[in-house]
Amino acid sequence: PSRLNSSTFAANTTDTSSIVTTSSDLSATFTTYNGQIAEGDDTLDVDGAHSTVSGNNTLLVLVDARGNVYNESMSVDADGTFDTDADFSGLVKGTITAHVISPGRDGTVGNSGESVETWRTTTLSGYSGTGDQVRSQIVAGTIDDTASDDAMVSTSFRYANSLTSIESVTSPVAGGDTVTIEGQTNRNPDDADITIEMLSDTGESVALDQIGDWDSDGAWSVEIATDGLELGSYVVEADDGDSTDRVDVEVVDEVATP
């Protein structure tokens, strides 16, 4: 496996889309939405595989900017796969780095002689400082330790307020045509739906739709028919239960062709 020192590690965990791997045998996928996880959802879905440690444990560690740590051991099935839904609600908002650490063939973390369970409850619990300092200690005690065959896969994401936004809308739109609304969210579709409502200038609801599924890029879209609507000004609202966004839409008799 390739080697990863502390400087390289720090440089590669500052962007929300970064992924760092030190072993082709260890793989992990971290599910976020638009590079974020919303406060209130608070769960990171991790799926991975490492055939080298089948039947043993790997370690998941999350570190926030203040050096607070969430960790848990993950059992590796006989086929080498592992998964967890990690509730990290005790960490602070901002950039969080996530690391899957495998002890390798010797079954011990770094050169400590400790199993994953022992290392996380003794050595790891003693690490302190800022987020960068704690991450450096983790690297030094695992993949950078003397004669270590540990492997690590890392990423970073933003832990943020819930945010659903409308990015584009068809306006003006000819009466009888369809309004296409596209947007972004950092919400987990397992925890939230996005309600799209079209309101008249008096606040009356004239159309309603709901989106219950979107991919990890956070992009969503919906179409609303304007059949039967009077010409005039309307508002389209997107609401995920915690945050809302609104844009104006004009329904006209005819849209001029450029």
Side-chain angles (χ1 to χ4, degrees):
S2 59
R3 305 301 298 170
L4 182 73
N5 59 35
S6 302
S7 298
T8 304
F9 177 82
N12 283 279
T13 53
T14 56
D15 186 81
T16 56
S17 62
S18 65
I19 295 178
V20 181
T21 178
T22 64
S23 172
S24 59
D25 189 32
L26 172 64
S27 62
T29 300
F30 309 84
T31 301
T32 61
Y33 296 91
N34 197 22
Q36 303 180 25
I37 293 180
E39 184 181 28
D41 294 346
D42 306 327
T43 300
L44 178 65
D45 178 22
V46 181
D47 299 276
H50 197 195
S51 58
T52 302
V53 293
S54 299
N56 294 313
N57 289 340
T58 57
L59 178 64
L60 173 66
V61 181
L62 277 65
V63 184
D64 67 23
R66 296 182 183 177
N68 299 309
V69 173
Y70 169 88
N71 72 89
E72 66 173 75
S73 59
M74 298 180 290
S75 298
V76 181
D77 295 335
D79 63 357
T81 61
F82 56 85
D83 65 88
T84 190
D85 292 318
D87 181 350
F88 60 90
S89 53
L91 300 184
V92 300
K93 288 186 292 185
T95 298
I96 291 177
T97 56
H99 319 279
V100 172
I101 303 168
S102 171
R105 296 184 183 278
D106 62 4
T108 63
V109 179
N111 195 31
S112 67
E114 298 172 342
S115 67
V116 165
E117 191 63 31
T118 300
W119 187 85
R120 79 180 188 90
T121 57
T122 56
T123 303
L124 178 60
S125 65
Y127 291 163
S128 63
T130 65
D132 286 342
Q133 289 170 334
V134 170
R135 283 186 282 271
S136 293
Q137 292 168 57
I138 291 171
V139 170
T142 57
I143 57 175
D144 267 3
D145 207 358
T146 304
S148 172
D149 66 345
D150 294 355
M152 180 185 293
V153 177
S154 300
T155 193
S156 62
F157 61 91
R158 293 287 296 176
Y159 182 31
N161 292 331
S162 61
L163 178 63
T164 294
S165 60
I166 298 172
E167 301 297 316
S168 68
V169 64
T170 307
S171 182
V173 59
D177 287 349
T178 298
V179 179
T180 300
I181 305 134
E182 297 178 332
Q184 288 279 339
T185 187
N186 64 0
R187 297 303 306 273
N188 185 331
D190 290 339
D191 298 315
D193 294 321
I194 299 173
T195 300
I196 307 297
E197 190 169 17
M198 194 166 179
L199 306 168
S200 70
D201 56 2
T202 62
E204 178 187 1
S205 178
V206 296
L208 187 69
D209 204 344
Q210 193 169 65
I211 307 166
D213 191 32
W214 49 89
D215 293 331
S216 60
D217 61 1
W220 54 266
S221 66
V222 68
E223 294 183 343
I224 293 179
T226 62
D227 299 297
L229 294 184
E230 295 182 359
L231 305 184
S233 299
Y234 295 83
V235 171
V236 171
E237 179 182 85
D239 186 342
D240 66 17
D242 287 320
S243 69
T244 60
D245 194 17
R246 288 186 165 200
V247 296
D248 295 328
V249 175
E250 292 291 328
V251 179
V252 298
D253 183 48
E254 184 178 359
V255 177
T257 303

